Every structure is written in C-alpha cells, then in structure tokens.
Amino acid sequence: MPIEPASDKVLRLDHLFIGGEWSPPEDGGEINSIDPSTGRVWAVVASGGKGDVDRAVASARAALEGPWGHMPGHERAALMRRFADLYQARAGDLAEIEARDSGRAIRETRADIGSHHHGYHWWASLADKAAGRTIPFDDTVHAFTSRVPVGVVAAITPWNVPLMAAAWKLGPALAAGCTVVIKPAEQTPVGTLELGKLFEAAGFPPGVVNIVPGYGAGDVGEWLVAHPGVDKVAFTGEGETAKAILRTGAETMKRFTFELGGKSPHIIFEDADVEQAINAATNSAWTLCGQSCALGSRVLVQRSIYDQVAEAFCSRAAKVRVGPAIDPHTHMGPQAHLAQLEKTLSYIGIGRSEGAELLTGGERLVSNTHSAGYFVQPTVFANVSNDMRIAQEEIFGPVAALIPFEDEDDAVSIANDTRFGLTAGLWTRDTGRAHRVASRIRAGMIWVNTYRFIRWSTPYGGFGASGWGRENGIEGLDGYLDTRTTIVSTHGRFPDAYVD
Ligand code: ADP
C-alpha cells in the first residue's frame, strides 16, 4: 500500500493492521482526516469496530503467549533495531504525513520525526536488560525478583504529536516484552497506520503490534480500555479523558500511565541572559502552534525586565510566518482541528474579559494563504494575574500569558500555584539560584537556561494533574513491567503443622 503524501488526491487507507495482516474492518467504518491547513479532507482511513478490537486484542495475546513471549531479549532488540532503521529511511515521508494530518509545520515534524529512530534504537538497547535482584534473607531461602512484561498494552495517543507519542509507548512496551494495540487519535490516524508497514517489513511476529484507528468515547478507545484482554493502558491526552478511562478501566483493574496536560511556568529572572531567555520563551509559546503540554504557556518575568520582555514578545510575534504546514518556510502551522481553533479563540475572549492586556494577535487568520485553514495569530497577553483562567487552564493554542513577579519567593509561589506539574523552565546566571528555585518547583521536569530539551533517555511525566508514571528514560520501562518474587527453599523441609 504505497502512500503519496504530496498528492492532492484524497488518500485512502482502507485496511487495519491486525495479527500481522492488513484487513478491512470487520464491523468498523472510516474516518475522514482533515488537513487543518486547508480545512479539507486529505485522507480517508479505516476505523475499527468492536469485532476488530476483539481480533486485535486476541492477536496481541497470542503473540505474547507465543513467539514474542518466548523470544530472548536480544532477538527482540534485533527486530526493534531493524524497525528503527526502516523508520529512519521513511522519516521524511512520515514528517510530511504528520504535517498534513496534524498541521504541525514541516520544519518541526522533520526535526522531530527525523530523530525518532534514535529513540527506538535506545529502547532496543534495553530489551535484554530488565533484570531483577536477589534479596538477602538467611541461608534457608534464595529469594529473587524477575521483571516480567505487564502483558497486552492499549496505547491511546493524541493528535498533537502522533508519532512521537507512538514512539514513547511502542519503544518501552516492546523493550519490556509487551504486545500492543495502538489507537491513534481520530484527527491524525495516518502516520501511525503507516507504521504497520515498517513492523511488517522488519519481520515482527504477527500480533506484536496491532494498529486500529477509531474514535475515543463509545468507540475503539473505550472498547480497548474496557477489554478484559488488555492489561495496561498507556494514554496521552486530556485530564478529563484520563478520568473517564480510569473509570472504565477500573472494572478490569488495568495498569495505567497517563501523560496529561500542563500549564508550565517559564521563569525569567533579571540576572538571566535575557536574549537567550526570550528566544526560548517565544519559541516555547508558539512551537506546535501552542499544542503541546510541555510548552511554557505562563511566562513569569521579573518586574524590572517585564517591559523589555513584553516588547520582545511582540516584535518576535510579528516575525512568525504562519502558513500551511507543508510549506518549508512556515514557522507555525494551523491548529490541528476546528474544535481546537474554536477553543483557543474562546480562551482569547476569556483573557480579554478577565482584564488581561492583549498586546498582539488574538485573531483567526483568513487571508488567501490561510483560506479555510485553522490558523490563528501568535498571541501575547500582558499583565496576567495567575488566578485568571488563561493562567490556570490549558488553552493548547499559541497564547503566551506574561505574568510579572517581584522576587524568588514570589516566582516560586506563582509557579506552584497550579494543579498541573509537568514541566518548568528558569533563566538565571546565578547557579545557586538555579538550584534553589529548581528544587522548590513541583514539576516532573525542570529546565535551567534551556527549554523543551526532551529525549528518549530523559524521564518525562508530571506531578499532580499532569499525570501518572513516566515515559522515556529507564524509568519509562517500569510502567511496562511487573515484578515477580520467587522464594526457593535451600533445604526443602516444611514442618507438618498438625502433628500435635
Ligand atoms: P482531545 O479532547 O484534546 O481531543 P483526548 O484526551 O480526548 O484529547 O484524546 C486523546 C486520545 O484519547 C484520542 O486518541 C481519543 O480518541 C482518545 N479518547 C477520547 N476519549 C476516550 C475514552 N473515553 N476512552 C478511551 N479513549 C478515549
């Protein structure tokens, strides 16, 4: 099934990848994937029904109990490496697909997807290293632990970074020896479905990875979460969706990892290299059109440099080229789908009515280049106070909220005044202050004098409402492993409890 991502014709992908084979949906339907740069359907993709979910879970179970479950770690690693090489070779196509499917600018998708093979190789290197430990007790027993795969994983991914989210789940799941049914978001199913070809070409046993596009609530997502044959759900998305997943999955006692939202503080102290801080803070406000949970959507600026930073935000905003994602000149593509565009515009309205000062942006772009796409201007609000909704709620649009602070304590207290706790950035030339502030911020990842440095080897995940568990890093493997403790008697005697 060759794909022509650059074609103007509507692409049709009418098969699911289940049990190592491409099959039409048994009882599913199809999804129209809209290119948010044009507002038009660019691909029609098969979506699964209940019967397809059953088939996929059964295939994953059979692979777990069959060839994959018995395969030594180093052989699994070899297959994963082959997949990583094939992924690298297709990275350019995958980057184009993601630009069309999600609206993320091609210069960003190329950089991101062009690095994923490193991650898959890194996970491959862990496939034979999940060792247990021996437990000292006394000489009557030999006690030890083994790390065993949790089993069949349902990976449910979001629409902002579909292939990155897939890599963050497939990598550790396969390294741990699990099998997977992956469901991409209904808005962006194409790239993930393409991965089936690479798993097939790499020679994975049938059923190790199954790909079933579909919707979430009342559809493939929910059926997977409810399915008694699924052991774990690895989810990236919204907090409210995570709560629904928790409720559904409670019945079958699923394991969960949740990577949810953020409202990350990006703190700029007056002693920072302000130019560098502005580079990072503006980029982290508008990258991905603001649609990433890691972005520094709350920019905390020390009062003495507040006006300077606010002016710089406005002059940078004027330089951002907003356009079709597939155009290499574009800095910032559209919002990924219409509902997200409407959400962002509504939050901009909320910010205005709350009394924040709109310095620049705030409008949908509708010129010729933008036509019916879901484009919005890079937007900057000044004089935001941290209790405003635009500072507390995740907007997921290119909207920076500039919040002034007085001193270190004030910065920390504003930074921590959030129910989220995913990431944070801080800029200062004072090493002592860097450590002091970093250690006081409640967030799963802190960047000092840099921002959004995220790699396969660096554990990523949140405190509080930002999620459960970690993805990436050696810690990322833990979510896909259970611990079995084995106690062996060294003398084989067991007294009769009923002798007298
Ligand atoms: P958004 O609301 O921003 O689209 P979601 O968190 O709803 O983000 O979606 C992330 C992923 O979760 C998507 O793949 C979506 O289909 C899936 N999803 C949504 N609702 C459910 C649900 N109730 N059960 C399982 N998966 C769901």
Side-chain angles (χ1 to χ4, degrees):
M1 282 194 288
I3 193 163
E4 294 168 16
S7 158
D8 282 338
K9 286 184 301 201
V10 172
L11 181 75
R12 290 202 73 91
L13 296 174
D14 45 14
H15 287 64
L16 309 170
F17 186 62
I18 296 178
E21 288 178 356
W22 295 95
S23 53
E26 193 177 283
D27 54 353
E30 53 186 35
I31 295 174
N32 287 335
S33 182
I34 291 173
D35 176 347
S37 299
T38 63
R40 291 197 300 269
V41 174
W42 84 282
V44 178
V45 175
S47 76
K50 252 192 171 142
D52 300 306
V53 167
D54 286 344
R55 282 196 300 136
V57 174
S59 299
R61 178 66 54 195
L64 185 73
E65 287 169 6
W68 187 249
H70 293 105
M71 193 180 283
H74 61 273
E75 288 181 23
R76 281 191 283 110
L79 285 174
M80 290 177 70
R81 288 195 182 286
R82 221 172 289 156
F83 171 81
D85 289 340
L86 293 166
Y87 193 103
Q88 182 178 14
R90 286 290 314 276
D93 298 342
L94 294 171
E96 281 193 32
I97 290 170
E98 189 150 302
R100 284 194 188 266
D101 227 12
S102 76
R104 187 177 184 189
I106 187 87
R107 56 165 71 193
E108 287 185 21
T109 60
R110 280 192 185 135
D112 177 20
I113 293 167
S115 74
H116 289 177
H117 63 283
H118 293 303
Y120 281 113
H121 277 294
W122 190 80
W123 286 113
S125 72
L126 292 183
D128 58 357
K129 305 207 174 41
R133 61 194 178 93
T134 53
I135 298 166
F137 187 72
D138 65 17
D139 62 4
T140 67
V141 291
H142 177 213
F144 63 95
T145 63
S146 315
R147 304 283 277 150
V148 294
V150 294
V152 174
V153 173
I156 300 179
T157 53
W159 43 261
N160 59 338
V161 282
L163 288 176
M164 186 179 93
W168 287 17
K169 291 167 179 54
L170 290 167
L174 298 176
C178 295
T179 56
V180 182
V181 182
I182 184 164
K183 187 205 87 65
E186 55 273 27
Q187 298 89 348
T188 55
V190 181
T192 305
L193 197 51
E194 277 295 292
L195 297 183
K197 295 176 191 166
L198 309 186
F199 283 111
E200 199 179 18
F204 274 72
V208 174
V209 176
N210 307 273
I211 308 169
V212 186
Y215 294 87
D219 205 87
V220 174
E222 189 172 327
W223 298 330
L224 281 169
V225 176
H227 204 293
V230 170
D231 300 293
K232 178 209 163 86
V233 176
F235 170 78
T236 301
E238 281 198 63
E240 288 308 311
T241 313
K243 289 181 202 167
I245 287 176
L246 259 181
R247 285 190 288 270
T248 307
E251 202 53 47
T252 44
M253 289 297 285
K254 297 276 189 291
R255 273 93 174 111
F256 297 101
T257 40
F258 288 136
E259 204 273 274
L260 310 176
K263 197 74 196 176
S264 301
H266 200 157
I267 308 170
I268 309 177
F269 286 100
E270 61 191 2
D271 63 5
D273 181 332
V274 178
E275 193 60 22
Q276 297 298 311
I278 288 167
N279 290 346
T282 50
N283 181 249
S284 109
W286 301 320
T287 295
L288 264 155
C289 200
Q291 299 165 130
S292 159
C293 44
L295 300 186
S297 46
R298 289 186 298 149
V299 186
L300 277 49
V301 187
Q302 196 151 15
R303 181 84 64 188
S304 55
I305 54 166
Y306 188 84
D307 290 344
Q308 180 193 349
V309 171
E311 271 169 37
F313 259 80
C314 292
S315 55
R316 292 292 167 90
K319 284 167 55 185
V320 177
R321 288 193 295 271
V322 184
I326 208 72
D327 180 346
H329 297 293
T330 291
H331 289 131
M332 189 175 95
Q335 299 263 259
H337 55 93
L338 189 56
Q340 180 54 49
L341 173 69
E342 285 165 354
K343 182 176 171 191
T344 298
L345 293 174
S346 131
Y347 268 105
I348 291 169
I350 290 168
R352 281 179 151 142
S353 64
E354 284 178 311
E357 185 188 348
L358 181 67
L359 289 186
T360 185
E363 302 292 336
R364 181 175 182 178
L365 286 161
V366 287
S367 76
N368 281 349
T369 352
H370 304 105
S371 61
Y374 308 144
F375 298 96
V376 64
Q377 294 174 313
T379 298
V380 183
F381 276 110
N383 296 321
V384 176
S385 82
N386 200 54
D387 56 358
M388 291 179 181
R389 285 182 63 193
I390 58 165
Q392 289 293 328
E393 297 172 18
E394 199 174 37
I395 301 173
F396 240 51
V399 183
L402 306 191
I403 305 175
F405 71 85
E406 305 302 331
D407 57 20
E408 216 172 284
D409 282 345
D410 195 28
V412 170
S413 120
I414 296 171
N416 285 337
D417 178 18
T418 171
R419 64 198 174 89
F420 296 109
L422 190 58
T423 63
L426 65 102
W427 289 82
T428 173
R429 285 195 174 96
D430 177 340
T431 316
R433 166 175 277 169
H435 283 282
R436 265 193 320 273
V437 174
S439 69
R440 292 174 68 194
I441 292 178
R442 288 192 303 274
M445 185 170 249
I446 317 271
W447 293 293
V448 178
N449 295 335
T450 184
Y451 206 85
R452 259 185 104 244
F453 184 99
I454 300 170
R455 298 290 184 276
W456 39 90
S457 50
T458 52
Y460 183 84
F463 292 13
S466 290
W468 288 1
R470 291 293 175 267
E471 296 195 289
N472 293 336
I474 293 187
E475 290 79 353
L477 206 56
D478 290 341
Y480 296 87
L481 292 167
D482 264 337
T483 297
R484 178 196 293 128
T485 307
T486 308
I487 317 259
V488 181
S489 167
T490 53
H491 52 77
R493 289 189 298 275
F494 201 98
D496 180 351
Y498 313 106
V499 75
D500 49 25

